[in-house]
Amino acid sequence: MAFNPREIEDKFYKIWEDRGYFELDGNKNIQNGDNFTIMMPPPNVTGSLHIGHSLTFTLQDIAVRYKRMSGFRTLWQPGTDHAGIATQNVVEKKILAEGKTKEQLGRDEFLNRVWKWKEFSGSTMVGQLRKLGVSPAWKRERFTMDEGLEKSVSTAFKKLYDENLIIRGNYLVNWCTHDGALSDIEVEYEEHQGKLYFIKYNLADNNNDFIVVATTRPETFFGDTAVMINPDDERYKHLIGKDVILPIINRKVKIIADNHVDISFGTGVVKVTPAHDPNDYEVGKRHDLEFLTIFDESGILNNYCGEFAGLERLEARNLIVKKLEELNLIEKIENHVHQVGHCYRCKNIVEPYISKQWFLKKEVAEKSIKKMTNGEAKFYPSHWINSYNSWMSELRDWCISRQLWWGHRIPVFTCNSCSHEFASADPKNIKVCEKCGSENIVQDPDVLDTWFSSALWPFSTLGWGQDKNDLFNIDDMKNLYPNSLLITGFDILFFWVARMIMMGEHLIGELPFKDIYLHALVRDEHGNKMSKSRGNVIDPLDMIEKYSADALRFTLAVLAVQGRDIRLSEEKLEWSRNFTNKIHNASKYLLMNGSNFKGLDEVKIETDLGKYMLSRLNLAINETREYLDSYRFNDGATTIYRFLWNEFCDWGIELSKAEKSSIHELGAIYLEAMKLLHPYMPFITEMISLELKGVELENSESIMISKYPTANERNLEIENQFSTIIEGIISIRRLKASVDLANKQNDEIFLQFDSNIKNSLDLDLVAKFVSKLAKVERVYFPDQEIENSLSDIGTGLKSVISLSSIDLKPIIDRMTKQRDKLSKEISKLDGMLKNEKFVANAPANLVEENRTNLNKLSEQFAVVSNELAKLQKLGNK
């Protein structure tokens, strides 16, 4: 019978949530006094559930359900992120579709529109998360711009501002002409097939002489304030200190010398544009050059660019090159491959641009770096500490201001009366200057980088920096910080994880997590990154609808090997769905043979089979707990799968046909196994538990707040007995199949054991199970060899069947025909592959397929020939 998840998923989830099971004290009946805290990486309020989210939240839910069932007072903190740039872009497009701009609406009305849109669509993601079956404390759900978190952000800003760790100044920043200032890690570099332009700069004292400058950005030469050579370059030493004339605008600039110049690049002469290149910016400071900004925040060229003023910087490039060609000032243009930075959000080409911005100084991270180096928090996999240390060693000041309206507005005020500047932890209630009392004050118009508020998430959600309210308890910071665990993707190690680490340590004095698990990417089955353009995106909601939430969760978990990308396919989801059907059918078998099953705490295990299955369950429990405690989610899943499919369903149920008295014991063991599986597959384990107990969830307690299984001592003696029994059954079945008796009852069979095994066996027990499952009337255990017999060798034993009552002729005839058929197929393929013309003209994949088939057929021929020779020899006796 196939498992139908649609009948239970929404129903069970609603009951769980309504009963408060997901909340901090949802498991109060089994709490042991320990706390477990984990933060949901807040998905963008603009977003929909994608497969990467599904992996993160599945692994988090496994950890949370495991800890909750283990008696921990568990907080899984949910919430969403305001996603400054992304959200503003969505609403701006809607307004533009109405024929308006945000400037026409004004800041207040625009923000009203964003809040309305957030209320309308912000619940999409959390609704989709519920479909996945996750169990965060929904009553404590936060939004990065809710009133409490807004207070945390302004409190943190003011503290850092007062410590002179937040400063403002004119700096060269990464500038997107659409989205404004970007931090270094918000710039994505891509290989670009561009051009290298060789431009002539005439010498000021001799118009007939010139030097050639190579550049990839000819439109920026209007901002040149020097031309630079390497002081060791013998070709140009004589020109140091002379002036050149900038093309078109005829402005003089000096030739300077600096070791920064790579003699081998281009002509060895480079232009210096301090306001529009990070390297030139540093050169400009060293040589006290003028900084000329040649375009505005939208990328429009200004009056420094002469006749090209008013043009967009990239659109102007070809026109400027054409003009230079007309003036015979282009020596040549070469193809050139180089890295070009793009805005991570809108993919616009990013420009280095001098702008007044707010920065968080890198010194804020010093103590956290030391603590991480000392091992006060651990990465899983451990190699991520190397990436963390490498990035932090190159850390620069973080540009935290953004030219947006949607976000946490920077809580800094300037008094127009006395010029005093101050920050406030309560900016909404600031009416006058704190110094002179004037009402003529203005707040900074920019907002903070979204990642600034996200960096406070591990403690802002616990009430840090806020007035007490109904969402948290005054002891939350004491009891729930630092967080126990963080699970997120490695791709936001620097965007988010490193920043939470430095902010938590600086503001609280403790690192925000004890353990940090970074999972890899989910790719398609061929290892390609999923993208709409490739058409290989796997939608988790579609997979839930088609295969069930449990199947998706289990598939992601079993593939989540630490440090290795996941290759996901529908074939693997079908494998997990087959698993759900398998365990469902096992429960139906138990219900066909019993009812109203009790748990292990109420059932005494007395049968041999019950003792064996309980011992194997204890092994699975011990291993699963070990794997979950070390975040080896895939190994935990594999262990449970092995026990349920290979041991309980394949052998426990089969063996019970020979010991019907074990059924209720097996039911108790299966109920315990459902608890073991529950963190991975919450829905089907709830359903099976209820069905076996003969109750409805509406009238009983859920499996999700039952105690997670703990292992007792294994019974190795009974395990060895049944290991031999199973090996004997397999060997006899294999032997009977070789003489066409596979599914037929036969009178007798002989089992012979290695001497070190036989003495430890209960032969009556062996005979009971072997005779039933191998379909044999009598099982004998002789020490002597059996004449005129056929045997099969197993591990530690040999099964033997007498041939005195078996007619071998039809078996030999059948196998002879099979051998001859294989021989003909082999000859045909061998002939084709020896035909040079065929091999030369046939598609390569066809030739390779034929070689593979030839190898397989040859292996089959060898097996059949050996078996046939053995039977022919026996038949001649």
Side-chain angles (χ1 to χ4, degrees):
M1 295 176 64
F3 161 57
N4 185 358
R6 279 179 288 279
E7 294 178 354
I8 62 167
E9 288 180 345
D10 290 344
K11 172 186 172 183
F12 285 176
Y13 195 92
K14 186 176 187 308
I15 293 173
W16 294 337
E17 186 174 358
D18 288 349
R19 288 184 182 174
Y21 289 155
F22 304 160
E23 304 306 319
L24 194 57
D25 292 312
N27 64 335
K28 57 187 176 184
N29 292 335
I30 61 169
Q31 284 181 1
N32 58 20
D34 294 325
N35 294 312
F36 178 81
T37 313
I38 186 170
M39 295 286 149
M40 177 183 289
N44 289 353
V45 71
T46 58
S48 295
L49 187 71
H50 59 63
I51 201 68
H53 291 135
S54 301
L55 173 61
T56 300
F57 300 138
T58 292
L59 298 182
Q60 286 197 325
D61 196 47
I62 292 169
V64 167
R65 287 178 183 269
Y66 167 58
K67 290 295 185 180
R68 185 184 290 124
M69 293 175 72
S70 296
F72 285 74
R73 185 169 177 261
T74 302
L75 172 63
W76 182 9
Q77 176 62 56
T80 49
D81 191 279
H82 65 278
I85 293 175
T87 305
Q88 179 155 324
N89 284 345
V90 169
V91 179
E92 272 195 69
K93 288 177 182 177
K94 292 182 178 294
I95 293 169
L96 287 171
E98 299 171 8
K100 301 175 184 177
T101 66
K102 73 177 192 298
E103 287 76 17
Q104 288 173 324
L105 287 182
R107 184 168 191 147
D108 289 344
E109 178 55 28
F110 175 77
L111 291 177
N112 284 336
R113 289 283 196 100
V114 181
W115 278 107
K116 286 179 182 177
W117 179 85
K118 183 263 176 187
E119 293 304 318
F120 174 74
S121 64
S123 60
T124 300
M125 173 65 81
V126 294
Q128 292 170 343
L129 281 172
R130 285 173 164 87
K131 286 288 185 183
L132 189 61
V134 299
S135 59
W138 288 120
K139 292 179 181 178
R140 295 176 61 114
E141 182 183 349
R142 306 305 295 264
F143 176 56
T144 51
M145 281 182 62
D146 70 30
E147 185 177 349
L149 270 61
E150 191 172 51
K151 186 68 163 58
S152 294
V153 169
S154 56
T155 298
F157 187 99
K158 178 171 171 53
K159 177 176 171 58
L160 294 163
Y161 177 92
D162 290 345
E163 293 171 345
N164 201 36
L165 288 170
I166 289 181
I167 57 173
R168 180 169 58 171
N170 286 315
Y171 291 88
L172 192 74
V173 297
N174 304 298
W175 189 266
C176 171
T177 57
H178 180 264
D179 292 323
L182 302 173
S183 66
D184 291 340
I185 56 175
E186 290 173 320
V187 180
E188 296 177 344
Y189 288 90
E190 298 175 6
E191 191 173 88
H192 179 66
Q193 300 289 332
K195 303 287 185 183
L196 190 60
Y197 302 88
F198 292 77
I199 305 174
K200 300 174 183 176
Y201 284 30
N202 290 325
L203 293 173
D205 61 0
N206 183 356
N207 275 334
N208 294 320
D209 198 5
F210 59 85
I211 57 175
V212 178
V213 174
T215 181
T216 59
R217 301 161 68 215
E219 67 278 5
T220 63
F221 83 80
F222 298 113
D224 290 359
T225 54
V227 169
M228 182 166 59
I229 62 173
N230 191 298
D232 297 325
D233 194 334
E234 297 294 339
R235 296 172 296 174
Y236 304 115
K237 271 187 174 181
H238 65 288
L239 297 177
I240 296 172
K242 290 180 177 290
D243 292 331
V244 294
I245 306 295
L246 291 184
I248 302 177
I249 56 174
N250 298 320
R251 176 164 53 82
K252 284 184 182 181
V253 298
K254 191 75 68 180
I255 299 174
I256 64 173
D258 195 285
N259 288 320
H260 170 73
V261 179
D262 180 358
I263 294 174
S264 64
F265 178 77
T267 63
V269 182
V270 297
K271 57 197 284 304
V272 184
T273 319
H276 296 287
D277 183 275
N279 295 316
D280 293 356
Y281 179 79
E282 297 300 326
V283 170
K285 290 195 293 184
R286 284 200 298 272
H287 292 269
D288 198 25
L289 300 177
E290 188 177 4
F291 289 69
L292 298 181
T293 300
I294 64 166
F295 52 77
D296 66 13
E297 294 178 350
S298 300
I300 305 301
L301 299 181
N302 59 26
N303 291 334
Y304 285 118
C305 306
E307 65 191 85
F308 299 99
L311 297 177
E312 199 279 330
R313 53 170 181 150
L314 298 179
E315 294 173 0
R317 179 176 293 176
N318 289 338
L319 296 174
I320 293 169
V321 171
K322 182 180 179 183
K323 179 73 173 181
L324 291 169
E325 288 176 329
E326 290 172 358
L327 296 172
N328 195 31
L329 293 176
I330 294 287
E331 182 180 69
K332 61 180 177 178
I333 302 174
E334 295 180 349
N335 291 328
H336 180 65
V337 178
H338 61 125
Q339 296 287 317
V340 176
H342 294 75
C343 173
Y344 82 106
R345 178 62 62 181
C346 69
K347 309 307 176 187
N348 186 17
I349 290 179
V350 170
E351 295 283 355
Y353 187 76
I354 290 181
S355 175
K356 182 169 281 191
Q357 301 291 337
W358 290 97
F359 289 83
L360 178 61
K361 295 168 74 171
K362 63 183 180 181
E363 286 77 12
V364 75
E366 288 177 350
K367 289 183 180 179
S368 63
I369 294 172
K370 288 179 182 177
K371 288 185 176 182
M372 290 298 295
T373 303
N374 291 337
E376 293 188 29
K378 293 174 64 177
F379 278 106
Y380 296 82
S382 59
H383 67 76
W384 282 113
I385 188 63
N386 300 323
S387 299
Y388 169 84
N389 285 336
S390 176
W391 188 72
M392 297 305 282
S393 68
E394 301 293 329
L395 191 65
R396 295 167 58 184
D397 292 349
W398 172 17
C399 178
I400 57 173
S401 48
R402 296 292 181 270
Q403 288 62 56
L404 302 170
W405 287 353
W406 173 247
H408 291 279
R409 191 168 177 179
I410 291 174
V412 173
F413 296 82
T414 302
C415 178
N416 291 328
S417 299
C418 71
S419 301
H420 176 59
E421 179 188 278
F422 61 99
S424 172
D426 190 18
K428 288 186 176 179
N429 291 316
I430 294 297
K431 307 298 181 186
V432 300
C433 173
E434 67 174 14
K435 183 178 181 181
C436 73
S438 171
E439 295 181 359
N440 189 13
I441 58 174
V442 61
Q443 186 176 354
D444 193 293
D446 289 348
V447 301
L448 287 165
D449 180 1
T450 298
W451 295 104
F452 187 93
S453 54
S454 297
L456 311 181
W457 189 249
F459 46 93
S460 63
T461 52
L462 299 177
W464 180 85
Q466 303 165 38
D467 299 323
K468 186 179 182 298
N469 62 38
D470 293 336
L471 282 179
F472 55 86
N473 185 284
I474 197 165
D475 293 326
D476 280 356
M477 279 297 295
K478 175 183 175 183
N479 295 328
L480 303 172
Y481 187 91
N483 299 174
S484 311
L485 170 66
L486 173 72
I487 297 179
T488 191
F490 76 86
D491 51 330
I492 54 174
L493 170 57
F494 308 125
F495 277 107
W496 190 43
V497 180
R499 287 165 172 171
M500 285 190 288
I501 289 171
M502 70 184 189
M503 295 292 256
E505 196 290 323
H506 185 81
L507 295 171
I508 313 298
E510 285 185 87
L511 297 177
F513 329 102
K514 297 169 186 172
D515 293 333
I516 303 164
Y517 177 98
L518 299 180
H519 64 69
L521 298 177
V522 184
R523 298 181 179 273
D524 72 10
E525 59 188 306
H526 306 295
N528 297 316
K529 191 173 182 178
M530 293 186 190
S531 67
K532 290 181 180 178
S533 60
R534 280 199 178 102
N536 63 347
V537 173
I538 294 178
D539 186 326
L541 297 173
D542 290 343
M543 297 304 101
I544 289 171
E545 179 68 21
K546 187 172 182 179
Y547 296 103
S548 81
D550 285 333
L552 176 61
R553 290 166 61 106
F554 197 78
T555 302
L556 292 172
V558 84
L559 295 175
V561 180
Q562 285 189 13
R564 190 183 303 170
D565 283 345
I566 287 176
R567 294 191 175 196
L568 185 62
S569 65
E570 289 206 40
E571 181 182 0
K572 289 167 181 171
L573 286 158
E574 288 172 5
W575 174 84
S576 289
R577 181 174 61 185
N578 292 341
F579 180 44
T580 63
N581 289 337
K582 183 83 168 180
I583 61 175
H584 180 231
N585 285 333
S587 69
K588 293 301 179 188
Y589 169 83
L590 292 171
L591 288 167
M592 286 169 57
N593 293 277
S595 61
N596 300 322
F597 289 91
K598 307 295 183 183
L600 279 176
D601 55 340
E602 298 180 68
V603 175
K604 187 175 182 181
I605 305 300
E606 296 179 315
T607 66
D608 294 306
L609 179 56
K611 291 174 183 177
Y612 168 63
M613 291 311 305
L614 180 60
S615 185
R616 299 304 295 170
L617 175 65
N618 281 325
L619 172 62
I621 291 169
N622 193 52
E623 290 182 352
T624 302
R625 277 188 167 275
E626 179 183 333
Y627 292 139
L628 288 176
D629 286 337
S630 56
Y631 315 123
R632 291 165 61 183
F633 300 102
N634 62 303
D635 290 325
T638 302
T639 295
I640 299 169
Y641 177 90
R642 180 201 69 210
F643 172 75
L644 284 171
W645 187 300
N646 298 349
E647 297 186 29
F648 191 94
C649 295
D650 278 357
W651 283 108
I653 286 176
E654 187 81 353
L655 292 165
S656 73
K657 295 170 184 176
E659 194 172 45
K660 288 289 187 180
S661 58
S662 67
I663 287 294
H664 272 274
E665 294 178 12
L666 292 181
I669 292 165
Y670 204 55
L671 282 170
E672 199 72 2
M674 289 303 99
K675 296 177 186 177
L676 195 67
L677 177 62
H678 178 77
Y680 291 90
M681 290 184 158
F683 292 110
I684 193 170
T685 52
E686 181 78 274
M687 182 194 75
I688 288 173
S689 296
L690 293 169
E691 288 182 345
L692 289 178
K693 292 175 182 177
V695 297
E696 297 289 337
L697 183 56
E698 290 86 345
N699 305 313
S700 62
E701 197 170 76
S702 169
I703 188 176
M704 71 170 289
I705 57 166
S706 61
K707 286 187 178 180
Y708 201 70
T710 53
N712 293 312
E713 189 174 346
R714 290 167 63 192
N715 186 336
L716 296 179
E717 181 182 349
I718 201 72
E719 284 193 36
N720 291 333
Q721 295 280 345
F722 275 90
S723 176
T724 303
I725 289 169
I726 291 169
E727 185 66 25
I729 293 167
I730 293 171
S731 178
I732 294 169
R733 286 174 173 175
R734 193 163 53 222
L735 176 61
K736 289 176 66 180
S738 70
V739 290
D740 285 355
L741 293 174
N743 292 310
K744 299 174 184 176
Q745 188 82 12
N746 68 303
D747 293 337
E748 60 182 20
I749 207 84
F750 303 91
L751 275 177
Q752 296 178 317
F753 303 101
D754 291 355
S755 58
N756 62 323
I757 292 177
K758 185 175 182 181
N759 292 337
S760 64
L761 291 176
D762 180 342
L763 296 181
D764 290 337
L765 184 68
V766 175
K768 180 174 77 170
F769 284 97
V770 167
S771 61
K772 178 68 175 178
L773 272 69
K775 294 186 177 179
V776 178
E777 288 291 335
R778 296 176 299 279
V779 183
Y780 297 103
F781 306 102
D783 293 324
Q784 70 278 12
E785 292 297 319
I786 308 300
E787 294 184 2
N788 191 27
S789 64
L790 189 64
S791 63
D792 178 271
I793 306 298
T795 302
L797 56 79
K798 178 171 70 172
S799 59
V800 184
I801 191 168
S802 172
L803 296 177
S804 58
S805 61
I806 298 175
D807 184 2
L808 294 178
K809 185 176 183 308
I811 301 171
I812 292 171
D813 290 344
R814 175 179 59 78
M815 294 189 72
T816 300
K817 290 177 183 178
Q818 185 181 2
R819 181 198 61 186
D820 294 343
K821 182 181 178 183
L822 286 169
S823 179
K824 288 179 182 178
E825 292 175 352
I826 288 169
S827 296
K828 180 181 177 182
L829 282 175
D830 190 49
M832 291 171 66
L833 292 170
K834 286 179 177 176
N835 185 329
E836 294 181 0
K837 188 175 181 181
F838 168 77
V839 173
N841 297 322
N845 64 323
L846 179 60
V847 174
E848 185 59 33
E849 184 180 334
N850 283 343
R851 286 199 180 103
T852 301
N853 289 337
L854 179 60
N855 290 334
K856 288 180 179 178
L857 291 172
S858 298
E859 290 173 5
Q860 292 175 20
F861 181 81
V863 171
V864 171
S865 297
N866 288 336
E867 289 295 319
L868 181 58
K870 190 188 300 181
L871 290 173
Q872 287 172 334
K873 183 178 179 181
L874 291 168
N876 291 330
K877 287 186 177 180

